[in-house]
Amino acid sequence: MEKAKISASQLFILMVLFELGSALLVPLAIRAKQDAWLGILLGMLGSFILFLVYHKLYTYYPNLLPTEYMQKILGKVLGTVLAFVYILYFMYDASRVLRDFGEMLLTFAYPDTPLFIANALLMLVIIYTIRKGIEVIARSGELLFIFMYILAIAGFILIISSGLIDFKNLQPVLEEGLLPSVKVALSETLYFPFTEAIVFTMILPYLNDSKKAKVTMLCATGLSGINLVITMLINISVLGVNLTARSQFPLLSTVASIQVADFLERLDVFFMLAMVIGIFFKVTILFYAATIGTANLFKITSPSMLAYPLGIVILFLSVTIASNFQEHLHEGLYIAKFILHIPLFTIIPPILLFVAFIKNRKKYRRKHIY
């Protein structure tokens, strides 16, 4: 484990950037139609329960990485296998987000550039950042977080100034009742993007004040959830439900429609910077978790040595993961949900917590007996 510390505010910023990440790009929860915002909100509230589970595990083993305490909870063999599965998942998820970046860049800015080249350019920057460690990642987050929110506020003002918003597109509210929003929350938004932040259990041991972990995690998730709700409300009110659902990247389509006084227009390329920032930090955090987890599991003293080989694996996986963007989306929203998200986010952590609770209660009893 790297000898470094980050503050609660830095953890907060990294979590917000991570959860916004690629979620800003896609038509999130659009299966709930004009109630997509409610599906996001319900998914966020549901994730709070799972974050409490992750945090409780952290309180039992505050100085250990999950790859270490899984072995303590389940035993050496089973714990090692499970830890390795989570490392593979972090690499897989990093490759998926990197693919999102490449597809966005090719669609809006560089249509003739090979996907591999676009992904490789970002991966080179990420590998360099990973080698510098978590403190550099956190400080970079503080700087770019401000820039990203300046862009967001400017975009919001320009959209309102353009007169693009039509609140009729958000009506009728709850046309088919609450059930569609609940279904979307339980099948989509609970896992993407909110409980994907299980990766931060690999970062929590670096926190300089463990008492602030729970509040920081919940507040960061709350802020990113509200931001995503506002984003989907704007997308639907500008584009309408049908166009939002058909668009690969509805937020950039919304920004592209900005036109103020026949002067400010075609700002989608400019606002791609905000998307790139979010994706950069999401891939970086997933990649960093995979790197330190691998180093810890296989007793490698210098995690930075793994940056190049693991980075190359993630890069090639991002290109070969799907033959086209539609297949890529289908795999992420439907196939990965059942095979990876449900067991890794919602089933295994509560089981780990239950076993850890039993083991720690036995230790507590033994101390008081003797």
Side-chain angles (χ1 to χ4, degrees):
M1 183 172 152
E2 182 186 351
K3 292 182 179 179
K5 288 294 179 183
I6 62 172
S7 66
S9 62
Q10 288 173 328
L11 176 66
F12 174 86
I13 286 169
L14 289 178
M15 278 197 72
V16 173
L17 290 172
F18 177 90
E19 291 185 348
L20 293 179
S22 55
L24 285 171
L25 280 177
V26 298
L28 196 62
I30 197 61
R31 285 189 295 126
K33 297 180 181 178
Q34 63 269 22
D35 296 322
W37 62 272
L38 185 56
I40 296 169
L41 198 60
L42 292 174
M44 179 193 75
L45 294 173
S47 71
F48 286 168
I49 299 168
L50 289 169
F51 279 129
L52 293 176
V53 173
Y54 308 156
H55 176 262
K56 190 63 179 177
L57 278 167
Y58 166 66
T59 59
Y60 282 135
Y61 308 98
N63 299 314
L64 298 181
L65 293 170
T67 47
E68 293 175 288
Y69 67 62
M70 284 175 188
Q71 296 175 54
K72 285 186 173 290
I73 294 171
L74 299 177
K76 186 73 174 175
V77 176
L78 191 58
T80 300
V81 170
L82 184 60
F84 189 63
V85 169
Y86 273 94
I87 290 168
L88 290 177
Y89 170 73
F90 295 148
M91 292 179 65
Y92 168 78
D93 202 21
S95 70
R96 288 196 57 79
V97 181
L98 186 61
R99 177 63 176 263
D100 290 334
F101 163 80
E103 293 285 357
M104 176 193 71
L105 206 63
L106 267 56
T107 301
F108 280 88
Y110 305 104
D112 298 324
T113 303
L115 179 65
F116 179 83
I117 299 299
N119 289 1
L121 290 172
L122 182 64
M123 182 50 71
L124 284 173
V125 179
I126 291 170
I127 288 171
Y128 175 79
T129 310
I130 294 293
R131 288 178 61 83
K132 293 297 180 182
I134 188 63
E135 288 183 346
V136 171
I137 295 170
R139 287 198 295 270
S140 302
E142 287 178 306
L143 179 65
L144 293 174
F145 180 78
I146 297 168
F147 178 67
M148 188 173 178
Y149 267 83
I150 290 171
L151 283 176
I153 293 167
F156 184 69
I157 293 169
L158 287 171
I159 288 169
I160 293 174
S161 303
S162 298
L164 296 170
I165 293 177
D166 183 1
F167 290 112
K168 290 180 181 178
N169 290 331
L170 299 171
Q171 298 172 347
V173 178
L174 298 176
E175 182 181 15
E176 299 176 18
L178 191 61
L179 190 59
S181 297
V182 173
K183 283 182 178 178
V184 166
L186 293 176
S187 64
E188 183 182 333
T189 54
L190 177 62
Y191 313 106
F192 173 76
F194 297 113
T195 49
E196 270 187 314
I198 192 174
V199 68
F200 281 91
T201 57
M202 298 289 290
I203 310 293
L204 288 178
Y206 296 112
L207 190 61
N208 59 12
D209 188 352
S210 59
K211 293 178 182 178
K212 295 180 179 179
K214 179 164 68 175
V215 173
T216 303
M217 291 174 75
L218 296 179
C219 288
T221 303
L223 178 61
S224 58
I226 291 167
N227 288 337
L228 290 171
V229 165
I230 293 170
T231 300
M232 281 308 295
L233 284 171
I234 290 172
N235 287 339
I236 294 171
S237 63
V238 172
L239 303 175
V241 172
N242 292 331
L243 191 55
T244 302
R246 291 199 305 270
S247 176
Q248 285 186 342
F249 308 111
L251 180 58
L252 290 176
S253 298
T254 300
V255 173
S257 60
I258 292 174
Q259 189 173 13
V260 180
D262 295 323
F263 172 65
L264 288 172
E265 56 184 20
R266 291 299 301 171
L267 298 174
D268 49 319
V269 175
F270 181 66
F271 280 92
M272 275 176 61
L273 289 171
M275 305 297 102
V276 171
I277 290 169
I279 288 173
F280 168 79
F281 279 100
K282 189 164 187 175
V283 177
T284 299
I285 290 161
L286 288 163
F287 186 10
Y288 181 78
T291 301
I292 59 170
T294 304
N296 176 258
L297 201 60
F298 296 101
K299 311 300 180 192
I300 298 169
T301 53
S302 179
S304 61
M305 291 171 54
L306 297 169
Y308 287 110
L310 293 185
I312 291 169
V313 171
I314 291 171
L315 174 59
F316 277 95
L317 190 58
S318 72
V319 178
T320 58
I321 204 168
S323 57
N324 55 60
F325 191 61
Q326 285 69 32
E327 183 183 324
H328 169 69
L329 284 179
H330 178 77
E331 182 183 314
L333 293 175
Y334 302 104
I335 299 172
K337 177 182 69 179
F338 293 106
I339 297 175
L340 297 171
H341 297 167
I342 292 176
L344 294 181
F345 298 167
T346 63
I347 297 175
I348 292 173
I351 293 172
L352 288 173
L353 180 60
F354 177 74
V355 177
F357 172 75
I358 298 297
K359 286 194 170 186
N360 280 272
R361 192 171 66 171
K362 285 180 179 178
K363 285 182 183 178
Y364 180 79
R365 283 179 177 175
R366 284 173 190 164
K367 284 182 183 178
H368 281 264
I369 289 171
Y370 296 107

